[in-house]
């Protein structure tokens, strides 16, 4: 694995957008217009990171795939949050050591924590270490087993199914590891286990599930 330390890149982003950063002090109102009005962000005083990855095949003649991990800062306004100049590649020391940068007001050090993981459906399954969307129990939100019609897919039904929780996913992962089998679509521990809420912090793939049906 090749890792890049993004501290300098994030320091440049923070310095360039110092006066635009969103903090708990400038969040007003009760209407949810952005992730900062959500309960998940309100529970933590630490700035958050949105992380995303997807497979890239750099050469058609090779089976080699790259999985770069891209991060964005939740404390930037939505209008500039995902600008290419404000995105960086993930490092491993942001929560422990933080990022230091200099502003007209002096030197600052900000520590970050993983906040949300955004993945398309094909990337989501291996990251969560579970069956893919077209497999048995391939829903990451509930225990709907799937409806078979030549290929497995999910449709609204009158039946209700238990919602997944981080605790239920970790319990299924432990059982899968002990029994050497897949439990409720879970194959084992996810690389995100212990870092984020495996249900609420890994949102539904809006592009594939909503825009493409």
């Amino acid at each position: 694995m090749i890792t890049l330390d993004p501290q300098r890149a994030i320091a440049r982003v923070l310095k360039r957008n110092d006066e635009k950063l969103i903090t708990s002090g400038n969040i007003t109102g009760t209407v949810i217009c952005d992730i900062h009005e959500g309960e998940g962000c309100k529970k933590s005083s630490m700035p958050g990171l949105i992380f995303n990855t997807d497979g890239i095949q750099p050469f058609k003649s090779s089976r080699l795939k790259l999985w770069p991990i891209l991060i964005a800062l939740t404390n930037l306004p939505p209008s500039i949050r995902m600008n290419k100049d404000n995105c960086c590649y993930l490092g491993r020391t942001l929560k422990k050591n933080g990022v230091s940068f200099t502003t007209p007001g002096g030197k600052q050090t900000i520590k970050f924590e993983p906040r949300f993981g955004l993945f398309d459906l094909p990337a989501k399954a291996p990251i969560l270490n579970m069956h893919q969307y077209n497999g048995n129990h391939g829903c990451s939100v509930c225990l709907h087993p799937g409806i078979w019609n030549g290929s497995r897919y999910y449709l609204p039904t009158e039946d209700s199914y238990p919602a997944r929780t981080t605790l239920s996913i970790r319990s299924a992962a432990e059982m899968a590891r002990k029994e050497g089998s897949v439990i409720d679509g879970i194959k084992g521990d996810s690389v995100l286990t212990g870092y984020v809420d495996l249900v609420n912090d890994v949102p539904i793939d809006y592009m594939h599930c909503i825009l493409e049906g």
Side-chain angles (χ1 to χ4, degrees), residues 40-95:
C41 286
K42 290 180 179 179
K43 291 179 182 179
S44 176
S45 60
M46 190 177 295
L49 299 174
I50 303 172
F51 50 97
N52 167 267
T53 188
D54 201 354
I56 300 174
Q57 189 170 352
F59 307 106
K60 291 184 178 180
S61 59
S62 172
R63 299 180 64 182
L64 173 68
K65 274 194 174 183
L66 303 178
W67 288 77
I69 303 175
L70 192 69
I71 56 175
L73 311 184
T74 62
N75 289 65
L76 290 177
S79 59
I80 62 172
R81 185 178 296 149
M82 303 307 295
N83 287 1
K84 64 179 182 179
D85 292 336
N86 292 332
C87 293
C88 314
Y89 289 97
L90 183 64
R92 298 173 293 176
T93 58
L94 297 179
K95 186 171 184 178

Side-chain angles (χ1 to χ4, degrees), residues 108-130:
Q108 298 186 49
T109 299
I110 297 181
K111 296 182 180 181
F112 296 88
E113 66 180 3
R115 187 64 53 79
F116 299 106
L118 306 178
F119 316 103
D120 69 2
L121 286 177
K124 192 174 188 178
I127 288 172
L128 293 179
N129 200 14
M130 63 178 294

Side-chain angles (χ1 to χ4, degrees), residues 1-2 23 37 58 63 69 80 88 90 92 99 108 125 147 149 151-153 177 196 210:
M1 176 183 293
I2 300 174
T23 64
E37 281 86 24
R63 299 180 64 182
I69 303 175
I80 62 172
C88 314
L90 183 64
R92 298 173 293 176
V99 174
Q108 298 186 49
I147 300 173
N149 185 19
S151 63
R152 192 170 296 277
Y153 64 100
R177 189 171 59 250
V196 298
I210 307 300

Side-chain angles (χ1 to χ4, degrees), residues 151-197:
S151 63
R152 192 170 296 277
Y153 64 100
Y154 300 90
L155 292 175
T157 66
E158 296 181 357
D159 300 323
S160 60
Y161 296 91
R164 291 190 190 270
T165 65
T166 289
L167 184 61
S168 70
I169 292 176
R170 296 181 74 163
S171 177
E174 183 178 359
M175 191 179 302
R177 189 171 59 250
K178 290 180 179 178
E179 298 183 5
S181 59
V182 179
I183 305 297
D184 293 335
I186 304 298
K187 301 177 182 180
D189 290 319
S190 165
V191 294
L192 301 181
T193 300
Y195 294 100
V196 298
D197 184 313

